Amino acid sequence: MESTSRVASPLLSSPAATLGASAPSALLPLAHRLPVLMLVYAVPGVITALHTWVYAQAKDPTYSFTRALLVQLPPWQYWAFATPVVLGLGRRFRLERGVWPRALAVHVAALAALMVPYVTLIYFVSRTAGEKWLAETSLGQMLPLMMAKHVITSLLIYGTLVAIGYAVEYHHRYREGALAQSQLETRLAHAQLDVLRAQLHPHFLFNTLNALSVLVRKQDTAGSIRMLTGVSELLRMTLNSTGRQWVPLHEDLDFLERYLDIEQTRFQDRLQVVRAIDPTTLGALVPSLILQPLVENAIKHGLAVRSGSGCVELRAAREGTRLVLEVLDDGPGLAPGWERQDGGIGVANVRARLHQLYADRHVFSLENRPEGGVRARLELPFQSAASEALRA
C-alpha cells in the first residue's frame, strides 16, 4: 500500500512532485536545488579524487590530480541528479510495516536502473582519462563486472538518501505536531478565559440591578438616574473591551471609577475611596476587569455588612519587574474557613484568569490585615502596553 500522507518536508516535496505532478511545476524547484546538490556531491568527489591521486603516486608519479578529478568527480555529480528521484521514490514507496516487501522490490529495481547510467558514466570518463584497463574492453563486456563492483557503494548511497529523507520528514512531522498542539492549547486557554469573562458581566450586572432596586424602593430618583447612567456607561465600556484579555491599567481604573460612582451613589457618605496609584504604572498591561471583582468583594464584605462608614483603598506600584496592585478595606476581615469558599465567584474568577494568563509568574493573596480589614494583593509581570504595541 502506498503512502498517501500529504505531510511533505522541503527535502521531499520536490521529488514527490517530480513523480506525481506536471513536469513544468515539478522541474522548477528541482532546478533551484540542483546547484546546491552538485556542490554537496563535489565534496566526496574531491576527497575520493585526492585518495585516488595519492594511491596512484606509488605506481605512476605522472598521474595528475586533474586526471583523478576527471575520473571521480563526474560519477559523484551523477548522484546530484539522481537524488531527487531517490527521495521521491522513498516517499512514495515507504519501507513501513505491511508495505515494505513491495516497496523494497521497487527500490531494488530502481537501484539497478540507476546503476546502469552510473557505471556507464564511470566507463566513459575512465576511458577519457586514459585508464588502460578499459581501452581494449567494450561497454557490453564491462557493464556486468562494473555493476557488481559498484553495487555496494551504490546501495550505501541510495540507502543513505532514503534514510535522510525519512529523518527530515519525521522531523517535519514532529514540528507540525508540536505546532498544532501549541495552537490547540492556546485556543483552549482563550476559550476558558472567555468563559470566565462572560461570567463576570452578568454577575456584576445582577449586583448592580439589586443596588438600583434598593434606590427605587427608597424613592431616591436622583440616585436612581445617576446609577442608571453609570450602568449604561459601564455596559458601553464593557462592550468596547470585548475580546481584549489585556488592557492598560488606566483603562481598568477608568472602568473601576464608573463602578465606584455607582457604589458611592448606593452607599452615599458611608463609602470612602482612597487612591494611591503610581503614575508610572498607568501604562502597564493588566487583565481586563481584574480589579472590579476585588473592589466589589471589599465593599460587599467590608462595608455592606455594617452600619457605619468604611474605606476602600486602591494601590498600584512598580517593584522592579513586577506590577503590584492592592485593594484594601477596613471591614471585619475574613471569617474563619473563608478559604474553603474560595472567596465567591468574583475572587474565584480572578484566581482562574491569573492562572490561565500567567501560570506561575504571578502572586495573588487575600488575607486579613493586622490593623483590621482585608488586603487583596496582585503581583504581575510588568508589561508596558506601549512596548507590546510596538512588538505587534
Side-chain angles (χ1 to χ4, degrees):
M1 180 178 178
E2 298 172 6
S3 172
T4 57
S5 171
R6 292 185 179 277
V7 178
S9 69
L11 188 59
L12 294 176
S13 58
S14 178
T18 303
L19 294 177
S22 61
S25 61
L27 289 177
L28 185 59
L30 174 60
H32 290 163
R33 294 189 179 95
L34 193 55
V36 178
L37 289 173
M38 294 181 72
L39 285 175
V40 171
Y41 281 101
V43 175
V46 172
I47 293 174
T48 53
L50 182 62
H51 178 267
T52 300
W53 175 72
V54 172
Y55 181 76
Q57 296 306 300
K59 297 180 179 179
D60 182 8
T62 63
Y63 194 96
S64 67
F65 183 67
T66 303
R67 182 178 173 184
L69 278 177
L70 179 62
V71 173
Q72 296 294 337
L73 201 55
W76 281 106
Q77 292 298 302
Y78 167 82
W79 285 109
F81 293 88
T83 293
V85 178
V86 176
L87 293 175
L89 290 170
R91 182 169 184 262
R92 187 171 180 82
F93 301 98
R94 307 182 67 80
L95 296 169
E96 295 178 340
R97 182 183 301 175
V99 298
W100 69 267
R102 179 187 173 190
L104 183 60
V106 171
H107 287 299
V108 170
L111 175 61
L114 288 171
M115 283 190 65
V116 173
Y118 175 58
V119 297
T120 300
L121 178 63
I122 294 176
Y123 174 82
F124 282 110
V125 296
S126 298
R127 284 180 63 119
T128 303
E131 296 294 339
K132 297 178 180 178
W133 60 284
L134 292 175
E136 300 177 354
T137 310
S138 68
L139 176 62
Q141 292 175 309
M142 291 302 299
L143 191 60
L145 296 175
M146 293 182 69
M147 289 192 68
K149 178 183 177 182
H150 292 281
V151 66
I152 299 299
T153 303
S154 301
L155 180 61
L156 289 175
I157 296 173
Y158 190 102
T160 301
L161 290 175
V162 172
I164 291 174
Y166 286 164
V168 172
E169 182 177 350
Y170 288 141
H171 177 67
H172 190 65
R173 285 184 178 182
Y174 171 78
R175 291 184 58 186
E176 283 195 341
L179 179 61
Q181 178 70 22
S182 175
Q183 291 174 338
L184 183 63
E185 291 175 355
T186 301
R187 287 198 294 269
L188 177 61
H190 277 281
Q192 291 171 337
L193 286 169
D194 288 342
V195 169
L196 293 172
R197 280 168 52 91
Q199 287 178 353
L200 283 177
H201 298 162
H203 179 65
F204 159 74
L205 191 60
F206 175 77
N207 289 340
T208 305
L209 290 177
N210 268 346
L212 181 62
S213 67
V214 172
L215 292 177
V216 172
R217 282 196 296 270
K218 291 181 177 178
Q219 297 182 345
D220 185 350
T221 305
S224 300
I225 293 174
R226 184 180 174 186
M227 183 169 287
L228 280 173
T229 304
V231 170
S232 175
E233 181 66 14
L234 276 179
L235 290 177
R236 185 187 64 77
M237 297 177 71
T238 301
L239 288 174
N240 289 339
S241 68
T242 300
R244 299 169 64 195
Q245 294 294 350
W246 281 276
V247 296
L249 178 60
H250 66 83
E251 286 192 24
D252 214 46
L253 290 175
D254 286 345
F255 181 89
L256 198 58
E257 289 300 323
R258 303 297 186 278
Y259 172 75
L260 287 170
D261 283 344
I262 293 174
E263 293 293 357
Q264 285 184 314
T265 302
R266 175 186 171 193
F267 290 101
Q268 298 180 350
D269 296 337
R270 291 178 54 204
L271 174 59
Q272 180 186 2
V273 179
V274 177
R275 301 164 183 83
I277 309 297
D278 183 345
T280 61
T281 64
L282 294 177
L285 285 177
V286 297
S288 64
L289 304 182
I290 198 66
L291 291 175
Q292 186 274 331
L294 301 179
V295 173
E296 179 182 336
N297 208 52
I299 294 175
K300 179 179 178 181
H301 299 289
L303 176 66
V305 295
R306 60 183 180 180
S307 58
S309 61
C311 178
V312 172
E313 184 173 354
L314 305 177
R315 296 178 183 174
R318 180 174 184 173
E319 296 182 1
T321 59
R322 309 287 283 179
L323 173 67
V324 178
L325 304 173
E326 291 183 326
V327 177
L328 306 98
D329 68 70
D330 58 353
L334 299 165
W338 68 272
E339 298 94 339
R340 293 191 292 272
Q341 301 175 3
D342 207 22
I345 293 176
V347 174
N349 274 344
V350 169
R351 291 186 191 280
R353 292 182 68 204
L354 292 174
H355 179 73
Q356 286 287 347
L357 292 171
Y358 299 103
D360 59 352
R361 297 182 298 119
H362 79 282
V363 175
F364 174 56
S365 61
L366 192 64
E367 59 187 2
N368 284 324
R369 303 167 65 192
E371 61 271 35
V374 176
R375 180 181 70 171
R377 178 181 174 90
L378 294 173
E379 291 185 29
L380 310 175
F382 191 96
Q383 297 173 281
S384 170
S387 60
E388 291 298 322
L390 288 176
R391 289 181 190 175

